[in-house]
Amino acid sequence: MRNDSDHDRSGAEPGPPPHAQPLLPIEARRAGAWCAVGLLVAAVLAVGVWLCVELSAAVTPVLLALLGSGLLGPLYRKLVAMRFNRSLAAGLTCAVLMVVVGGAGYVVVTVLVDTGDQIIASLKSAAADLSQHFGTAGNSLSDLATNAKTLASRFGSTAASGLLAGVSIVGQFIAAAVLALLLTFFFLRDSDKALGALHDWAPGGSAPRLERMARRGFESIEGFMRGTTFIALIDALCITVGLLILDVPGALGLGALVFVGAYIPYLGAFISGAVAILVAFADRGVVIALWALGVVVAVQVLEGHVLQPMIQSRTVQMHPAVVMLAITAGASVAGILGMLLSVPLTAAASGVLHELRNHYAAGSGTGSSGPGDTGPDDSPAAPASS
């Protein structure tokens, strides 16, 4: 009689057990894996946003310093190319930044203060005219103008009467401005050291790729800041000249409003243009308001079809839906400051993602699979530009 030991000695091994049928099909498992990755990324982003809000006193100067470095970075590099000492070149660049930002802020605030009452009065007059034809819309506009004046007067009285609160607010603003200026100096002077640290700490052979990503993100910020500033200046000059020709009251203040609003794409131009048209309607009538509408539309067409393609870099061209979502998210997190900072930061993120896409597209075509492999897109980057 053959027993189990005889069967084992015969050399035949028992076959593998039959595979159990998977509980979910492969498509469902892949979808679940992608959902898990999406939830993980969303959680990391939420924690990052929460930390930025909690540490806004430190994060805000850093972001402002990045924008300042992007705006005047070419000037610093030109000074270094002219054999200036790095510290001296960074100091001169920061001095220029103080003059540009301080001068522009002084001009904008002075013009708005001088013409603010006239603009608000014109808006209320326009609201009264509109309420006769549209009812609720005109009353809402009148309430908005009245509340703007009331809030401004309350802020002024609070700053004058509450000395401690006013000093605290002014002190926080000055501290943030000084810190942002110092950080701009160090960002400009020590940019090569930052790239050196990136190469030292980068794992494996990923340093060149990380450097290209950092460069691409900062180039996006540079392109946005320089292009937006130049476009805002042209828009403000064109609209101011048009309103002066039409003899619209408060033309200089409206031009300053256009300049500030240009840093909030789409939404800022719409609001500032609407205010200019309403002021023209209130003081000069329907015909002049239509001419003002023509001026605003012509400037916007010039910006969208000529200035943007010629001035803005390709790295900062984003879909309008992405821009509007970024503005909405920034406003929900940090108000007006978030609206101003959201678009350049989104441009930087878009540049980094574009660089990643190019890298993986090139890697898939050349067959490189390891993180340390260097394909044609992983050639060493050029020396760090300071």
Side-chain angles (χ1 to χ4, degrees):
M1 176 184 292
R2 295 184 62 187
N3 54 21
D4 293 341
S5 60
D6 296 336
H7 177 72
D8 293 339
R9 286 193 298 268
S10 66
E13 296 184 359
H19 291 286
Q21 186 70 18
L23 183 62
L24 294 174
I26 184 65
E27 291 81 5
R29 283 180 284 166
R30 287 176 179 174
W34 279 112
C35 290
V37 171
L39 289 175
L40 180 61
V41 171
V44 171
L45 290 177
V47 172
V49 171
W50 177 79
L51 287 176
C52 290
V53 172
E54 292 296 321
L55 303 175
S56 58
V59 173
T60 301
V62 172
L63 297 179
L64 293 177
L66 283 176
L67 298 185
S69 302
L71 180 62
L72 294 180
L75 174 62
Y76 169 78
R77 291 191 289 269
K78 184 173 294 186
L79 291 176
V80 171
M82 295 170 60
R83 306 292 184 177
F84 276 81
N85 180 271
R86 290 182 180 271
S87 298
L88 179 59
L92 292 175
T93 305
C94 290
V96 172
L97 180 63
M98 289 180 59
V99 172
V100 170
V101 175
Y106 175 79
V107 170
V108 170
V109 171
T110 302
V111 170
L112 288 177
V113 168
D114 292 341
T115 60
D117 292 337
Q118 191 176 17
I119 293 175
I120 291 176
S122 299
L123 286 177
K124 295 181 70 173
S125 177
D129 294 337
L130 289 175
S131 62
Q132 297 178 359
H133 299 86
F134 301 101
T136 305
N139 294 330
S140 300
L141 181 60
S142 178
D143 295 339
L144 180 61
T146 303
N147 291 334
K149 181 64 175 177
T150 303
L151 290 176
S153 62
R154 285 182 180 177
F155 178 80
S157 61
T158 302
S161 60
L163 181 60
L164 293 179
V167 170
S168 176
I169 294 175
V170 173
Q172 291 177 5
F173 176 78
I174 293 176
V178 171
L179 182 57
L181 188 64
L182 292 175
L183 288 174
T184 302
F185 174 83
F186 290 120
F187 286 172
L188 291 172
R189 191 192 67 175
D190 299 330
S191 56
D192 56 334
K193 296 181 181 179
L195 290 176
L198 179 64
H199 280 266
D200 292 337
W201 289 94
S206 61
R209 183 164 65 251
L210 292 177
E211 179 181 347
R212 286 197 304 275
M213 291 167 57
R215 287 182 182 274
R216 185 63 178 268
F218 189 71
E219 286 172 0
S220 299
I221 294 178
E222 279 191 338
F224 174 83
M225 288 302 298
R226 295 200 308 268
T228 302
T229 301
F230 192 59
I231 290 172
L233 183 61
I234 294 177
D235 287 354
L237 288 176
C238 292
I239 290 181
T240 302
V241 171
L243 295 179
L244 287 174
I245 294 175
L246 296 175
D247 197 20
V248 175
L252 295 178
L254 294 171
L257 188 63
V258 169
F259 179 80
V260 175
Y263 284 94
I264 305 176
Y266 305 112
L267 183 61
F270 173 78
I271 294 176
S272 59
V275 171
I277 295 168
L278 288 173
V279 171
F281 172 73
D283 283 84
R284 301 284 293 156
V286 177
V287 176
I288 299 299
L290 292 176
W291 278 104
L293 174 62
V295 170
V296 172
V297 171
V299 171
Q300 295 303 318
V301 170
L302 175 67
E303 174 187 340
H305 293 81
V306 179
L307 297 180
Q308 288 281 357
M310 289 180 58
I311 297 174
Q312 289 283 29
S313 172
R314 292 180 182 271
T315 56
V316 297
Q317 287 185 353
M318 296 178 291
H319 195 276
V322 176
V323 175
M324 294 303 296
L325 288 176
I327 293 173
T328 304
S332 64
V333 172
I336 296 178
L337 183 62
M339 295 173 68
L340 293 173
L341 295 176
S342 59
V343 180
L345 294 181
T346 305
S350 176
V352 171
L353 292 176
H354 184 76
E355 187 64 35
L356 277 175
R357 185 186 64 181
N358 289 343
H359 166 72
Y360 285 111
S364 62
T366 56
S368 60
S369 57
D373 296 340
T374 55
D377 194 39
D378 278 335
S379 58
S385 60
S386 303

